[in-house]
Amino acid sequence: MSGTLGHSPAEVVRSLLVQLKQGSDPENQPGESWPIFDDTIPNAPDSLIVIRDTLGMDQGRSMIDGERQEHHGFQILVRSPTHLIGFAKARAIAIAMDKDFSPSTKVSVSPNEYAVYNISRRDVLPIGKEPGTKRSLFSINGTVALRETL
C-alpha cells in the first residue's frame, strides 16, 4: 500500500505487538515484562524486544488505479538471559503474528491510526550470544502492508 506514513513501519509493528500482548510499552508501562523498544537496544533489562525498520519490497502497481503496492520491511530482535527463554518468546511472537492478527487490524500510534493488511515473516533465526554478555539474541524478519487511516 502506498501513501504517506506518520510513523515508521517499525513503530507500527511495535504498537501491534503491544496490542497483541507480546510485550509492553516501556514509556506507558514501566517495569512490565518484555519491554518493546524501537531501534535502540538499552543495556537493561536482559529480556527485551527491539523493532527496527529494514528494506521492504515493491509489489508493483494496481491495474485499476496505478497505486503502488509496498510491503515495508521490519526486524524483531529478541534478547533474553538464556537460549531457551529467548527462543520460546520469539516463537510466541511469530505465532501471535500468524494467529492473533487479522487483515485490516487497526493499530494506534498516537495520534495516528493504521490499518495493517498483511504480515509476511520468516522463521525465528537464532543469532547467538550478544557480544560481551551471555544473553541470547533471536531475529524475526518480515514485511508489513499497512496504510495510515487518520
Side-chain angles (χ1 to χ4, degrees):
M1 309 265 124
S2 65
T4 60
L5 299 175
H7 296 87
S8 76
E11 291 173 293
V12 177
V13 171
R14 177 182 177 270
S15 292
L16 175 65
L17 291 182
V18 170
Q19 188 172 308
L20 294 175
K21 299 186 180 351
Q22 291 303 307
S24 61
D25 180 348
E27 288 184 22
N28 297 322
Q29 302 165 307
E32 292 290 320
S33 62
W34 293 104
I36 306 175
F37 299 91
D38 35 312
D39 201 37
T40 59
I41 306 175
N43 192 39
D46 286 342
S47 297
L48 58 75
I49 301 164
V50 178
I51 313 292
R52 296 178 172 155
D53 290 301
T54 63
L55 182 64
M57 294 175 55
D58 183 353
Q59 298 291 318
R61 295 188 176 272
S62 167
M63 292 184 70
I64 297 169
D65 60 6
E67 178 184 28
R68 184 170 180 235
Q69 303 297 306
E70 299 173 283
H71 286 89
H72 305 280
F74 66 87
Q75 178 188 52
I76 299 170
L77 185 68
V78 175
R79 181 178 76 190
S80 70
T82 69
H83 184 87
L84 183 63
I85 292 170
F87 183 81
K89 183 59 182 178
R91 191 74 187 134
I93 291 169
I95 291 168
M97 287 191 299
D98 294 345
K99 293 177 76 177
D100 300 337
F101 162 79
S102 61
S104 298
T105 294
K106 300 288 192 251
V107 177
S108 194
V109 186
S110 187
N112 305 50
E113 184 176 86
Y114 297 87
V116 179
Y117 297 102
N118 182 52
I119 295 177
S120 297
R121 66 165 182 86
R122 309 301 182 276
D123 201 4
V124 173
L125 174 65
I127 299 175
K129 299 293 183 185
E130 183 179 45
T133 74
K134 293 184 177 186
R135 299 183 286 204
S136 294
L137 296 171
F138 300 85
S139 174
I140 303 168
N141 297 319
T143 59
V144 59
L146 55 89
R147 179 184 303 234
E148 188 172 331
T149 59
L150 293 178

